[in-house]
Amino acid sequence: MRGESARQTAQGTGSTIVEPWDAHNRALVENVHPPAWVNPEPAPRYNLVVIGAGTAGLVTAAGATGLGAKVALIERHLMGGDCLNVGCVPSKALIRAARAVADVREAGEFGVEVPGAPRVDFQALMERMRRLRARISKTDSARRFRDLGVDVFLGAGRFTGPDTVEVDGRQLRFRKAVIATGARAAALPIPGLAEAGYLTNETVFSLTDLPRRLAVIGAGPIGCELAQALARFGAAVTLLEALPRILPVEDPDAAARVEKALAKDGIRLVVAASITRVERAGGEKVLHVGAGGGTEAIPVDEILLGVGRVPNVDGLGLEAVGVQYDPKAGVKVDDRLRTTNSRIFAAGDVCPGYKFTHNSDFQARIVIQNALFLGRARASALTIPWCTYTDPEIAHVGLYEKDAAARGIRVKTFVQELEDVDRAILDGETEGFVKIHVREGTDRIVGATIVARHAGEMLPELTLAMVHGIGLGKIARTIHSYPTQAEAIRKLGDAYSRTRLTPFVKSLFGKWLAWNR
Ligand SMILES: Cc1cc2nc3c(=O)[nH]c(=O)nc-3n(C[C@H](O)[C@H](O)[C@H](O)COP(=O)(O)OP(=O)(O)OC[C@H]3O[C@@H](n4cnc5c(N)ncnc54)[C@H](O)[C@@H]3O)c2cc1C
């Protein structure tokens, strides 16, 4: 029953198999792909037909319907898309469990004695993840969207004419359409890898047993987050990265801190790694890796691939409607998120650029304005922060130093180490910093990176400041409660204010004070 029912339920062309087939996954599927779902009779014509019910599609459909539009939403696999089913939600549930392991491991520092090493019950923590995912899935459920007034069609959507999309053998006529079909894990053409078999984000959350030895290929955000979590659960993890360092997009100082943390968690990192082939030998998989002038064979029980995402553009009939795309970058859109067919828009991971849930969400809002209301909202106007949920986290918004230099923007950089922030000292979380770049000669923030255990919770203050033009001087004058780690940000405000105290101003103050003595 187990795998077979799951496969049957996961009808359509999606590749994710919902396993194990327990009560939580049944509840999940009941919400996001109800087996007994009956597609509605299509309306004569829709204001908007949305293909894909991940974050981009859901936000577009709910928002447009709320404003009075007649909307059809089509999902071939699981509503909620990657974020709910095989992305943010399950990964963050595991990361939380991994933090609990680290906390127990380090409890001695706080005078709390835990006899022996923590025993991790992998099956229990995976069950917790499935339970929480099922609970959160109500928000994205087919029934909820139907109750909002959206016509929900389960099945694969495909353009068949200038104003029609086919799903489940029916033709849906649209005034405007939105492609929100997301992306999937990229493959790697390493000889023997496909034959040996490997996990991706689409399968790793279905594990019921922790691999004893694991190779994670790709030290981007997904690779680093999962490598650290699985290492903390007890897997012997080797993290392989083709580039010379982990998290290549991030600020190098920030990546170095996370690299140190991964080493502390026992992860073996191999950078500048070239994997020449993979072979199956008995029950193991052996990776042949060249790095640092030598070669070695790394035997493991499982391989997890996290080497980027490719857009879901196949089988959509895009050629038939004149929507241009690049198979690697995604659907071509202009700044208003219009494709090369002016009646068809695209949003989220299927488009080139940032692949984050909140980006999909805000792109969806742009599409609603521009597709339905002749709006002129621009994607380039969005300020998009992000966070990598390693421990410590790295959160970032705006420009890195190198971006500023490339654009010829002169910046002054302020750095506050958490070593000197009282709350971080008291929490035993001093590994990190806040780094803020302001445009030289002003207090205008152009970029910021935070490395801290809860960096993602600290960053919104700086994103808000950037979006609304609040300078570092104003942050200095904003009271932050003591003791908080966010005080690090206020301290940088003070550091900026001190730069305003030029020798001339100081001499004036000196004279005034001498006169008042
Ligand atoms: C492991 C992992 C962790 C992540 N963690 C984070 C995080 O912490 N924070 C964050 O912001 N982002 C995170 N992301 C990224 C985030 O999941 C994506 O950016 C987000 O899900 C994109 O939403 P979307 O709607 O564009 O696409 P998707 O979520 O991929 O949804 C697209 C939907 O379209 C459907 N579809 C495709 N083709 C068709 C078709 N022809 N007909 C009908 N339906 C179709 C798919 O089945 C899918 O449900 C993570 C991703 C991964 C893989």
Side-chain angles (χ1 to χ4, degrees):
M1 153 103 182
R2 183 175 156 260
E4 206 35 50
S5 299
R7 277 182 180 83
Q8 281 161 8
T9 306
Q11 321 150 344
T13 52
S15 58
T16 312
I17 304 301
V18 185
E19 286 180 342
W21 195 233
D22 66 353
H24 306 307
N25 275 347
R26 276 199 194 90
L28 172 78
V29 168
E30 197 50 51
N31 280 332
V32 295
H33 195 125
W37 188 258
V38 178
N39 285 334
E41 268 312 305
R45 176 132 118 165
Y46 290 97
N47 294 101
L48 217 52
V49 168
V50 183
I51 308 179
T55 305
L58 292 170
V59 173
T60 309
T65 304
L67 292 170
K70 186 73 191 154
V71 178
L73 176 63
I74 305 173
E75 173 55 52
R76 69 177 178 187
H77 187 42
L78 304 176
M79 293 183 61
D82 277 6
C83 180
L84 171 69
N85 299 292
V86 290
C88 333
V89 168
S91 63
K92 269 75 240 178
L94 297 196
I95 285 167
R96 179 62 186 87
R99 181 147 38 95
V101 178
D103 283 345
V104 174
R105 205 175 56 194
E106 281 153 28
E109 188 203 320
F110 301 91
V112 179
E113 266 193 46
V114 182
R119 198 187 73 78
V120 175
D121 184 342
F122 186 70
Q123 293 182 356
L125 69 89
M126 290 301 270
E127 191 193 343
R128 172 182 181 271
M129 176 276 286
R130 293 195 296 275
R131 175 166 49 82
L132 302 183
R133 179 173 61 180
R135 174 173 159 187
I136 291 175
S137 70
K138 282 187 202 128
T139 316
D140 297 350
S141 72
R143 286 186 191 86
R144 175 168 172 262
F145 273 73
R146 182 184 60 195
D147 294 347
L148 289 176
V150 177
D151 278 1
V152 176
F153 292 85
L154 296 184
R158 183 172 66 92
F159 290 100
T160 45
D163 67 347
T164 49
V165 170
E166 185 184 272
V167 57
D168 191 23
R170 295 146 210 241
Q171 303 292 327
L172 310 187
R173 289 189 67 210
F174 64 81
R175 182 91 193 174
K176 299 279 170 60
V178 184
I179 304 164
T181 50
R184 62 185 185 282
L188 258 192
I190 299 172
L193 179 61
E195 294 75 9
Y198 58 88
L199 300 167
T200 66
N201 71 294
E202 282 157 25
T203 43
V204 69
F205 302 112
S206 299
L207 285 176
T208 46
D209 293 308
L210 178 69
R212 198 167 58 81
R213 298 163 305 170
L214 175 74
V216 178
I217 304 178
I222 294 174
C224 286
E225 287 182 5
L226 289 174
Q228 189 179 40
L230 294 166
R232 286 178 165 187
F233 298 151
V237 176
T238 307
L239 179 57
L240 299 149
E241 169 57 51
L243 294 173
R245 68 167 173 97
I246 67 164
L247 300 169
V249 171
E250 290 302 339
D251 175 291
D253 298 336
R257 299 295 172 99
V258 171
E259 198 169 312
K260 196 170 140 197
L262 297 185
K264 191 173 156 203
D265 282 310
I267 293 172
R268 182 172 168 234
L269 174 65
V270 185
V271 291
S274 140
I275 307 167
T276 50
R277 70 193 160 91
V278 178
E279 63 187 2
R280 251 203 132 103
E284 21 179 71
K285 302 171 187 198
V286 183
L287 295 96
H288 294 270
V289 181
T295 56
E296 66 172 311
I298 304 175
V300 294
D301 302 299
E302 257 315 343
I303 298 169
L304 172 63
L305 202 58
V307 290
R309 319 281 301 157
V310 283
N312 293 323
V313 288
D314 299 333
L316 283 168
L318 297 182
E319 291 80 2
V321 282
V323 171
Q324 289 175 17
Y325 65 91
D326 178 292
K328 283 194 185 138
V331 172
K332 195 171 161 192
V333 284
D334 64 14
D335 204 16
R336 319 252 177 232
L337 298 179
R338 219 171 27 187
T339 69
T340 45
N341 177 332
S342 59
R343 296 174 68 176
I344 302 175
F345 290 70
D349 280 12
V350 76
C351 302
Y354 296 120
K355 307 226 180 302
F356 302 114
T357 293
H358 44 277
N359 188 42
S360 297
D361 180 332
F362 277 75
Q363 286 198 342
R365 294 160 197 244
I366 287 178
V367 164
I368 294 170
Q369 289 178 51
N370 294 353
L372 296 179
F373 297 103
L374 308 171
R376 310 217 18 99
R378 291 182 301 115
S380 60
L382 296 175
T383 300
I384 303 157
W386 59 82
C387 183
T388 298
Y389 297 88
T390 42
D391 185 7
E393 297 174 351
I394 301 182
H396 177 83
V397 64
L399 300 179
Y400 293 103
E401 266 159 309
K402 63 173 168 30
D403 300 331
R407 292 189 201 180
I409 300 172
R410 290 160 71 93
V411 296
K412 182 157 178 53
T413 300
F414 295 90
V415 181
Q416 175 64 56
E417 289 287 340
L418 295 187
E419 280 282 338
D420 300 318
V421 176
D422 291 359
R423 181 59 186 271
I425 295 170
L426 299 168
D427 285 344
E429 295 173 358
T430 50
E431 193 53 77
F433 58 78
V434 178
K435 192 186 262 195
I436 299 177
H437 312 295
V438 295
R439 199 178 265 269
E440 202 170 81
T442 75
D443 70 344
R444 222 185 101 204
I445 301 167
V446 296
T449 297
I450 303 180
V451 181
R453 200 167 205 202
H454 299 286
E457 306 291 340
M458 292 164 72
L459 189 71
E461 176 178 0
L462 292 170
T463 309
L464 184 81
M466 273 187 70
V467 171
H468 297 286
I470 298 165
L472 205 43
K474 282 197 174 135
I475 288 182
R477 297 195 296 278
T478 306
I479 301 176
H480 290 59
S481 8
Y482 175 88
T484 52
Q485 293 196 21
E487 264 201 304
I489 297 170
R490 204 261 308 136
K491 278 170 178 270
L492 291 180
D494 288 346
Y496 164 78
S497 299
R498 281 195 295 276
T499 65
R500 312 272 295 155
L501 202 60
T502 58
F504 174 68
V505 175
K506 214 169 167 183
S507 78
L508 284 184
F509 282 177
K511 282 183 188 144
W512 167 260
L513 291 169
W515 186 65
N516 273 291
R517 238 171 247 143

